[in-house]
Coordinates of all heavy atoms in Angstrom, one line a residue:
L91 N 6.7 -13.9 80.9 CA 5.3 -14.1 80.7 C 5.3 -14.6 79.2 O 5.6 -13.8 78.3 CB 4.5 -12.9 80.9 CG 3.0 -13.0 80.8 CD1 2.4 -13.8 82.0 CD2 2.3 -11.7 80.7
S92 N 4.9 -15.8 79.0 CA 4.9 -16.4 77.6 C 3.8 -15.7 76.8 O 2.8 -15.2 77.4 CB 4.8 -17.9 77.6 OG 3.6 -18.3 78.2
A93 N 3.9 -15.8 75.5 CA 2.9 -15.1 74.7 C 1.5 -15.8 74.9 O 0.5 -15.1 74.7 CB 3.3 -15.2 73.2
D94 N 1.4 -17.0 75.2 CA 0.1 -17.7 75.3 C -0.4 -17.6 76.7 O -1.5 -18.1 77.0 CB 0.2 -19.1 74.9 CG 1.2 -19.9 75.6 OD1 2.1 -19.4 76.3 OD2 1.1 -21.2 75.6
E95 N 0.4 -17.0 77.7 CA 0.0 -16.9 79.1 C -0.8 -15.6 79.2 O -0.4 -14.5 78.7 CB 1.2 -16.9 79.9 CG 0.9 -17.1 81.4 CD 2.2 -17.2 82.2 OE1 3.3 -17.3 81.7 OE2 2.1 -17.1 83.4
P96 N -2.1 -15.7 79.8 CA -2.9 -14.5 79.9 C -2.2 -13.5 80.9 O -1.6 -13.8 81.9 CB -4.2 -15.0 80.5 CG -3.9 -16.4 81.2 CD -2.7 -16.9 80.4
L97 N -2.5 -12.2 80.6 CA -2.1 -11.1 81.4 C -3.3 -10.7 82.2 O -4.3 -10.2 81.6 CB -1.6 -10.0 80.6 CG -1.1 -8.8 81.4 CD1 0.2 -9.1 82.2 CD2 -0.7 -7.6 80.4
T98 N -3.4 -11.0 83.5 CA -4.6 -10.7 84.3 C -4.4 -9.5 85.0 O -3.2 -9.0 85.2 CB -4.8 -11.9 85.3 OG1 -3.8 -11.9 86.3 CG2 -4.9 -13.2 84.6
P99 N -5.4 -8.9 85.5 CA -5.3 -7.6 86.4 C -4.4 -7.8 87.5 O -3.7 -6.9 87.9 CB -6.7 -7.3 86.7 CG -7.5 -8.0 85.7 CD -6.9 -9.2 85.3
E100 N -4.3 -9.0 88.0 CA -3.5 -9.3 89.3 C -2.1 -9.8 89.0 O -1.4 -10.1 89.9 CB -4.2 -10.2 90.1 CG -5.6 -9.8 90.7 CD -6.7 -10.0 89.7 OE1 -6.6 -10.9 88.8 OE2 -7.7 -9.2 89.7
T101 N -1.7 -10.0 87.7 CA -0.4 -10.4 87.4 C 0.7 -9.7 88.2 O 0.6 -8.4 88.1 CB -0.1 -10.5 85.9 OG1 -1.0 -11.3 85.2 CG2 1.3 -10.8 85.6
D102 N 1.6 -10.3 88.9 CA 2.6 -9.6 89.5 C 3.7 -9.2 88.5 O 4.4 -10.1 87.9 CB 3.2 -10.5 90.6 CG 4.3 -9.8 91.4 OD1 5.3 -9.2 90.9 OD2 4.2 -9.7 92.7
L103 N 3.8 -8.0 88.2 CA 4.7 -7.6 87.1 C 6.2 -7.9 87.5 O 7.0 -8.2 86.5 CB 4.5 -6.1 86.8 CG 3.2 -5.7 86.3 CD1 3.1 -4.2 86.0 CD2 2.8 -6.5 85.0
R104 N 6.6 -7.8 88.7 CA 8.0 -8.2 89.0 C 8.3 -9.7 88.8 O 9.3 -10.1 88.3 CB 8.4 -7.8 90.4 CG 8.6 -6.3 90.5 CD 9.0 -5.8 91.9 NE 8.3 -5.1 92.6 CZ 7.0 -4.7 92.9 NH1 6.4 -5.0 92.9 NH2 6.3 -4.1 93.5
D105 N 7.3 -10.5 89.2 CA 7.4 -11.9 89.0 C 7.4 -12.2 87.5 O 8.0 -13.2 87.0 CB 6.3 -12.7 89.6 CG 6.4 -12.8 91.1 OD1 7.5 -12.4 91.7 OD2 5.4 -13.1 91.8
A106 N 6.8 -11.4 86.7 CA 6.7 -11.6 85.2 C 8.0 -11.1 84.5 O 8.1 -11.2 83.3 CB 5.5 -11.0 84.6
G107 N 8.9 -10.5 85.3 CA 10.2 -10.0 84.7 C 10.4 -8.5 84.6 O 11.4 -8.1 84.0
L108 N 9.5 -7.7 85.1 CA 9.6 -6.3 85.1 C 10.7 -5.9 86.0 O 10.4 -5.9 87.2 CB 8.3 -5.5 85.2 CG 8.4 -4.0 85.1 CD1 8.8 -3.6 83.6 CD2 7.1 -3.4 85.5
D109 N 11.9 -5.4 85.6 CA 12.8 -5.1 86.5 C 13.0 -3.5 86.6 O 12.2 -2.8 85.9 CB 14.3 -5.6 86.2 CG 14.7 -5.3 84.7 OD1 14.2 -4.4 84.1 OD2 15.6 -6.0 84.2
S110 N 13.9 -3.0 87.2 CA 14.0 -1.5 87.4 C 14.3 -0.8 86.1 O 13.7 0.2 85.8 CB 15.0 -1.1 88.4 OG 16.3 -1.6 88.1
L111 N 15.2 -1.4 85.3 CA 15.5 -0.7 83.9 C 14.2 -0.8 83.1 O 13.8 0.1 82.4 CB 16.6 -1.4 83.3 CG 17.0 -0.9 81.9 CD1 17.3 0.6 82.0 CD2 18.2 -1.6 81.4
G112 N 13.6 -1.9 83.1 CA 12.3 -2.1 82.3 C 11.2 -1.2 82.8 O 10.5 -0.7 81.9
T113 N 11.1 -0.9 84.0 CA 10.2 0.0 84.5 C 10.4 1.4 84.0 O 9.5 2.0 83.6 CB 10.2 0.1 86.1 OG1 9.9 -1.3 86.6 CG2 9.2 1.0 86.7
V114 N 11.6 1.8 84.0 CA 12.0 3.2 83.4 C 11.6 3.2 82.0 O 11.0 4.3 81.5 CB 13.4 3.5 83.7 CG1 13.9 4.8 83.0 CG2 13.7 3.6 85.1
E115 N 12.0 2.2 81.2 CA 11.7 2.2 79.8 C 10.2 2.1 79.5 O 9.7 2.8 78.7 CB 12.4 1.0 79.1 CG 13.9 1.1 79.1 CD 14.6 -0.1 78.6 OE1 14.0 -1.1 78.4 OE2 15.9 0.0 78.4
L116 N 9.5 1.3 80.3 CA 8.1 1.2 80.2 C 7.5 2.6 80.5 O 6.5 3.0 79.8 CB 7.5 0.1 81.1 CG 6.0 0.0 81.2 CD1 5.4 -0.3 79.8 CD2 5.7 -1.1 82.3
L117 N 7.9 3.2 81.5 CA 7.4 4.6 81.9 C 7.4 5.5 80.7 O 6.5 6.2 80.3 CB 8.2 5.1 83.1 CG 8.0 6.6 83.4 CD1 6.6 6.7 84.1 CD2 9.1 7.0 84.3
G118 N 8.6 5.5 80.0 CA 8.8 6.4 78.8 C 7.9 6.0 77.6 O 7.2 6.8 77.0
S119 N 7.7 4.7 77.5 CA 6.8 4.2 76.4 C 5.4 4.5 76.7 O 4.7 4.9 75.7 CB 7.0 2.7 76.3 OG 8.3 2.3 75.9
L120 N 4.9 4.4 77.9 CA 3.6 4.7 78.2 C 3.3 6.2 78.1 O 2.3 6.7 77.6 CB 3.2 4.3 79.7 CG 3.1 2.8 79.8 CD1 3.0 2.4 81.3 CD2 1.9 2.1 79.1
E121 N 4.3 7.0 78.5 CA 4.1 8.5 78.3 C 4.0 8.9 76.9 O 3.1 9.7 76.5 CB 5.3 9.2 79.1 CG 5.2 9.2 80.6 CD 6.3 10.0 81.2 OE1 7.4 10.2 80.6 OE2 6.1 10.4 82.4
S122 N 4.8 8.2 76.1 CA 4.7 8.5 74.6 C 3.4 8.0 74.0 O 2.8 8.8 73.2 CB 5.8 7.9 73.9 OG 7.1 8.5 74.3
A123 N 3.0 6.8 74.3 CA 1.9 6.2 73.7 C 0.5 6.9 74.1 O -0.3 7.0 73.2 CB 1.9 4.7 74.0
Y124 N 0.5 7.3 75.3 CA -0.8 7.9 75.8 C -0.7 9.4 76.0 O -1.6 10.0 76.5 CB -1.2 7.2 77.2 CG -1.6 5.8 76.9 CD1 -0.6 4.7 77.0 CD2 -2.9 5.5 76.5 CE1 -1.1 3.4 76.7 CE2 -3.3 4.2 76.2 CZ -2.4 3.2 76.3 OH -2.7 1.9 76.0
D125 N 0.4 10.0 75.7 CA 0.6 11.5 75.8 C 0.3 12.0 77.2 O -0.5 12.9 77.3 CB -0.2 12.2 74.7 CG 0.2 13.7 74.5 OD1 1.4 13.9 74.7 OD2 -0.6 14.5 74.2
V126 N 0.8 11.3 78.2 CA 0.7 11.7 79.5 C 2.1 11.8 80.2 O 3.1 11.4 79.6 CB -0.1 10.6 80.3 CG1 -1.5 10.5 79.8 CG2 0.6 9.3 80.3
R127 N 2.1 12.4 81.4 CA 3.4 12.5 82.2 C 3.0 11.9 83.5 O 2.1 12.3 84.2 CB 3.8 13.9 82.3 CG 4.3 14.5 81.0 CD 5.6 13.9 80.6 NE 6.0 14.3 79.2 CZ 6.0 13.5 78.2 NH1 5.8 12.2 78.4 NH2 6.4 13.9 77.0
F128 N 3.9 11.0 84.0 CA 3.7 10.4 85.4 C 4.1 11.5 86.3 O 5.2 11.9 86.3 CB 4.5 9.1 85.5 CG 3.9 7.9 85.0 CD1 3.9 7.7 83.6 CD2 3.4 6.9 85.8 CE1 3.3 6.6 83.1 CE2 2.9 5.8 85.3 CZ 2.8 5.6 83.9
V129 N 3.2 11.8 87.2 CA 3.5 12.8 88.3 C 4.2 12.0 89.5 O 4.2 10.8 89.5 CB 2.2 13.5 88.7 CG1 1.6 14.3 87.7 CG2 1.2 12.5 89.3
D130 N 4.9 12.8 90.3 CA 5.7 12.3 91.3 C 5.0 11.3 92.2 O 5.5 10.2 92.5 CB 6.2 13.3 92.3 CG 7.3 14.2 91.6 OD1 7.8 13.7 90.6 OD2 7.6 15.2 92.0
E131 N 3.7 11.5 92.5 CA 3.0 10.5 93.4 C 2.7 9.2 92.7 O 2.4 8.2 93.4 CB 1.7 11.1 94.0 CG 0.7 11.6 93.0 CD 0.9 13.1 92.8 OE1 1.8 13.7 93.1 OE2 -0.1 13.6 92.1

């Protein structure tokens, strides 16, 4: 996803390049940034 391309609510994150390793890293970043923990569900 280029810097000038809009991120829309419906953007397919996998098509935009989010892979399994990125998902795990993003998960940790979101938990830290928002002080939350992703529950199993």
Side-chain angles (χ1 to χ4, degrees):
L91 189 72
S92 65
D94 62 339
E95 193 172 351
L97 182 65
T98 68
E100 298 82 23
T101 297
D102 186 305
L103 296 180
R104 280 181 247 41
D105 287 348
L108 184 64
D109 60 15
S110 57
L111 181 58
T113 300
V114 172
E115 291 174 352
L116 176 58
L117 171 71
S119 294
L120 290 170
E121 287 183 338
S122 293
Y124 290 94
D125 196 27
V126 296
R127 292 289 169 247
F128 278 73
V129 293
D130 289 342
E131 58 265 12

